[in-house]
Amino acid sequence: MTIEEVSTAPRMRAADRRELILEAATAVFGAKTYVGTTTDEVARAAGVSQPYVVRLFGTKEKLFISVIERAYGRLLDEFRRALPGDAEGRSERMGTAYTGLLVERGMLSVIANSTALGGEPEIGRVARAGFSEIWRFVREDAGFSAEETRAFMAQGMLINTIVGLRLTGDYGTETAATEVLDTCFVDSVEKARNLMPEAGEPW
């Protein structure tokens, strides 16, 4: 599904319409970044008018903040669902939960983009809060050591880089890209490649 294919249903509840706009905004921001996106593009992707988006969220900055908060909320929900089970397998289950977010267009790209905007007063504040909440969850709820948490979070950031660079298109033809994909997606490279866009494709 491309970002242009997200559409609304008639007589949709306000909460459902808001969620659909956030889903569309995640796809658009994920493909074009915060700086490159307009509220008009988000409105078109969601199948609503631009004034409606502004009326609901206010500025583009506030819309992006809502998208960031939703993304981190989704990530925490997936981590919580992955926790039950033996302690030895928790890292693998949580890693699978993280890469599972690839099924929603733009989700991991939005999280990565938010970390690049730490200098923006409001966006940076929300992005830092989301990052810190994830760190605390992994340390306290999941029970990882500080070193385990560092390694786990670093792996997530590397996956974000793979998504942002569209490295899947170089798999099998470029040594570094092939090796990093094999390392990050053990036993699931093909699945990851099917979920991630290649160079030139929208996300």
Side-chain angles (χ1 to χ4, degrees), residues 1-197:
M1 182 173 63
T2 66
I3 59 177
E4 291 82 9
E5 291 173 334
V6 181
S7 59
T8 59
R11 298 178 182 175
M12 186 178 293
R13 292 186 311 162
D16 293 334
R17 192 178 296 275
R18 185 179 189 279
E19 173 62 18
L20 187 140
I21 292 172
L22 287 174
E23 181 182 346
T26 299
V28 179
F29 281 126
K32 307 189 72 175
T33 76
Y34 171 70
V35 173
T37 296
T38 66
T39 54
D40 187 58
E41 289 170 322
V42 172
R44 286 200 304 272
V48 299
S49 69
Q50 191 267 353
Y52 183 82
V53 172
V54 173
R55 186 164 67 251
L56 201 60
F57 293 95
T59 63
K60 182 178 81 166
E61 180 182 66
K62 290 179 179 178
L63 172 61
F64 189 62
I65 285 172
S66 294
V67 167
I68 297 170
E69 291 173 334
R70 174 179 177 271
Y72 276 111
R74 282 282 311 280
L75 180 52
L76 279 170
D77 287 343
E78 292 302 316
F79 280 171
R80 289 190 183 99
R81 276 193 279 270
L83 269 191
D86 64 282
E88 290 184 358
R90 63 190 172 178
S91 180
E92 182 179 349
R93 292 195 303 275
M94 290 173 64
T96 299
Y98 188 72
T99 56
L101 292 174
L102 286 167
V103 299
E104 180 171 343
R105 294 284 187 180
M107 181 65 71
L108 297 188
S109 298
V110 159
I111 292 174
N113 190 211
S114 76
T115 66
L117 295 169
E120 296 291 328
E122 290 305 310
I123 294 174
R125 177 182 60 80
V126 174
R128 285 189 294 274
F131 181 88
S132 295
E133 190 172 9
I134 296 297
W135 180 276
R136 284 194 298 271
F137 178 87
V138 177
R139 284 283 284 123
E140 298 169 9
D141 293 67
F144 285 37
S145 68
E147 178 59 26
E148 288 171 334
T149 303
R150 181 204 62 78
F152 184 80
M153 297 286 277
Q155 177 83 349
M157 294 300 174
L158 180 56
I159 290 170
N160 287 349
T161 300
I162 290 169
V163 172
L165 291 175
R166 310 302 205 258
L167 279 183
T168 53
D170 291 337
Y171 186 79
T173 61
E174 205 282 319
T175 303
T178 301
E179 184 173 78
V180 74
L181 283 159
D182 283 336
T183 302
C184 288
F185 300 99
V186 179
D187 300 325
S188 60
V189 172
E190 284 307 313
K191 179 180 179 182
R193 292 180 67 197
N194 289 334
L195 289 172
M196 284 188 275

